[in-house]
Amino acid sequence: MHMGSPIQLLLIAIVVLVLFGRGKIAGMMGEFGKGITAFKKGIREGSEELEKQAADEAKDVTPKDKI
């Protein structure tokens, strides 16, 4: 992927700033950060649940035909 020149990137940043305003961009970045935090929390909770389930299954070593 080709990265634009620094001047092109600066021009894009200025256009975005003019269109949305500083406050709107800051709000969007805050929401984006909250979304990433929630996603990471969900991943962590999901993996903890899978680990707990695997640990519970590992504890039950009774053969199925003996029950």
Side-chain angles (χ1 to χ4, degrees), residues 40-51:
K40 287 181 179 180
K41 181 181 177 186
I43 295 290
R44 184 176 59 248
E45 288 174 354
S47 65
E48 287 172 357
E49 184 177 322
L50 289 175
E51 288 173 7

Side-chain angles (χ1 to χ4, degrees), residues 28-47:
M28 288 188 321
M29 290 296 112
E31 292 299 319
F32 182 71
K34 288 177 188 176
I36 290 175
T37 302
F39 177 76
K40 287 181 179 180
K41 181 181 177 186
I43 295 290
R44 184 176 59 248
E45 288 174 354
S47 65

Side-chain angles (χ1 to χ4, degrees), residues 3-67:
M3 272 307 266
S5 71
I7 293 175
Q8 289 173 329
L9 294 176
L10 181 63
L11 183 61
I12 291 171
I14 290 171
V15 169
V16 169
L17 187 62
V18 167
L19 288 176
F20 294 107
R22 211 171 56 192
K24 182 83 169 179
I25 293 173
M28 288 188 321
M29 290 296 112
E31 292 299 319
F32 182 71
K34 288 177 188 176
I36 290 175
T37 302
F39 177 76
K40 287 181 179 180
K41 181 181 177 186
I43 295 290
R44 184 176 59 248
E45 288 174 354
S47 65
E48 287 172 357
E49 184 177 322
L50 289 175
E51 288 173 7
K52 183 182 180 301
Q53 184 180 16
D56 290 345
E57 290 174 3
K59 286 179 187 176
D60 186 14
V61 293
T62 306
K64 297 293 181 198
D65 57 349
K66 299 287 184 180
I67 296 177

